[in-house]
Amino acid sequence: KAACHNFIEKTDFDHVQMAIVQFGIDSEASIWEELTQDAGKLMAATDRLHASGGTPMGQAIQCGHEVLSQFLQEMECFIVLFTDGNPNNRSLAESAAANAKEAGIQIICVGVHGANRGLLDQLASSSEDSLFAQSGSELTKTFGNIAQVISGKRV
């Protein structure tokens, strides 16, 4: 949660809208917080997250694609996928990522806790977009860097 808070804190909401898609609560994915520029809402939504259930990564990517679909022609769109890298359904995760990337969405994967590097490398838009964090401080720094890059691109 600290890493997610850092991500939100480092984001320039004058140029960025953000949504939160949760996956793993009751083994389902859903839009947890709609697109907003309200950092307070995003912080509160992050605080309500908790890990449980499986990893429906493919569903999460589909939800992100759905949220971003209305903006694809207007601006750069990103999905930042924070995961243990072990999806319930690998083929769904692969096809959802391929569809999102084909639509013009850049996917940045952040893996933790022994994440399947090969899979996250495949899901990410490029090798530079497949990142791994071994500690909480490394994760916080990674998320902060991603927020700054996205904000710098004036998404």
Side-chain angles (χ1 to χ4, degrees), residues 60-105:
I61 295 168
Q62 288 173 330
C63 284
H65 189 165
E66 175 187 321
V67 166
L68 296 170
S69 64
Q70 62 185 318
F71 300 102
L72 292 172
Q73 303 304 315
E74 301 170 21
M75 62 187 70
E76 289 183 275
C77 294
F78 297 85
I79 291 175
V80 179
L81 182 67
F82 172 44
T83 181
D84 65 1
N86 297 296
N88 292 357
N89 183 331
R90 182 180 178 131
S91 63
L92 179 59
E94 291 169 342
S95 65
N99 289 339
K101 290 185 288 189
E102 185 176 309
I105 298 169

Side-chain angles (χ1 to χ4, degrees), residues 9-153:
E9 289 167 0
K10 298 230 182 212
T11 299
D12 179 356
F13 286 104
D14 289 338
H15 303 285
V16 174
Q17 292 186 59
M18 187 183 304
I20 296 176
V21 174
Q22 70 76 27
F23 58 105
I25 297 174
D26 298 325
S27 296
E28 296 292 327
S30 64
I31 299 167
W32 197 250
E33 181 63 47
E34 294 287 343
L35 277 173
T36 184
Q37 292 179 295
D38 184 333
K41 280 185 174 182
L42 294 162
M43 292 286 199
T46 299
D47 288 340
R48 292 190 317 269
L49 289 170
H50 62 277
S52 68
T55 308
M57 197 181 305
Q59 289 178 355
I61 295 168
Q62 288 173 330
C63 284
H65 189 165
E66 175 187 321
V67 166
L68 296 170
S69 64
Q70 62 185 318
F71 300 102
L72 292 172
Q73 303 304 315
E74 301 170 21
M75 62 187 70
E76 289 183 275
C77 294
F78 297 85
I79 291 175
V80 179
L81 182 67
F82 172 44
T83 181
D84 65 1
N86 297 296
N88 292 357
N89 183 331
R90 182 180 178 131
S91 63
L92 179 59
E94 291 169 342
S95 65
N99 289 339
K101 290 185 288 189
E102 185 176 309
I105 298 169
Q106 185 172 338
I107 300 177
I108 301 169
C109 295
V110 180
V112 295
H113 303 298
N116 181 332
R117 288 180 183 253
L119 174 63
L120 295 187
D121 287 347
Q122 181 182 353
L123 299 179
S125 294
S126 70
S127 59
E128 294 83 29
D129 293 328
S130 183
L131 309 166
F132 297 87
Q134 300 302 320
S135 68
S137 62
E138 191 176 330
L139 182 61
T140 299
K141 181 180 177 184
T142 298
F143 268 118
N145 290 341
I146 292 168
Q148 290 175 340
V149 168
I150 290 172
S151 294
K153 289 187 175 185

